[in-house]
Amino acid sequence: MNGTIEQRIVGLMVERMGLEPEELTSDARFKEDLGLDSLDMVELVSALEDELGVPVDDEVAASLTSLGSVVAYVKAHRSDAGAVA
């Protein structure tokens, strides 16, 4: 899958969680603005690990509250996890 990190994450969220791309802004909060619950967050973490090769431990997962925070995390950890274009 090509594209920026943000585009890839948005694509995963649209595909796996049924969200609309236009509602996925950098500052949209997962729980408060998008209505995601803890199971959705487990799905997101699983997608990051499976599709992007970025490991996310439980403590970190709790701090990922918006698309912007996920993008920042993936960018910071992508070289540790291998090539994520």
Side-chain angles (χ1 to χ4, degrees):
M1 182 180 210
N2 294 324
T4 67
I5 297 296
E6 185 169 359
Q7 289 169 334
R8 292 178 70 181
I9 295 168
V10 166
L12 289 171
M13 294 181 76
V14 167
E15 179 183 315
R16 293 191 179 206
M17 295 171 198
L19 297 169
E20 296 297 324
E22 57 272 2
E23 60 188 337
L24 293 168
T25 62
S26 290
D27 59 348
R29 296 168 298 171
F30 294 140
K31 182 178 179 181
E32 295 86 350
D33 300 328
L34 301 174
L36 301 182
D37 61 20
S38 59
L39 293 176
D40 294 319
M41 293 309 298
V42 169
E43 179 72 17
L44 175 59
V45 168
S46 176
L48 293 174
E49 293 175 340
D50 294 344
E51 302 290 330
L52 300 178
V54 177
V56 182
D57 66 33
D58 292 340
E59 290 176 12
V60 171
S63 72
L64 301 176
T65 59
S66 68
L67 178 60
S69 65
V70 171
V71 170
Y73 179 81
V74 170
K75 285 182 178 179
H77 294 86
R78 68 182 179 190
S79 61
D80 297 340
V84 176

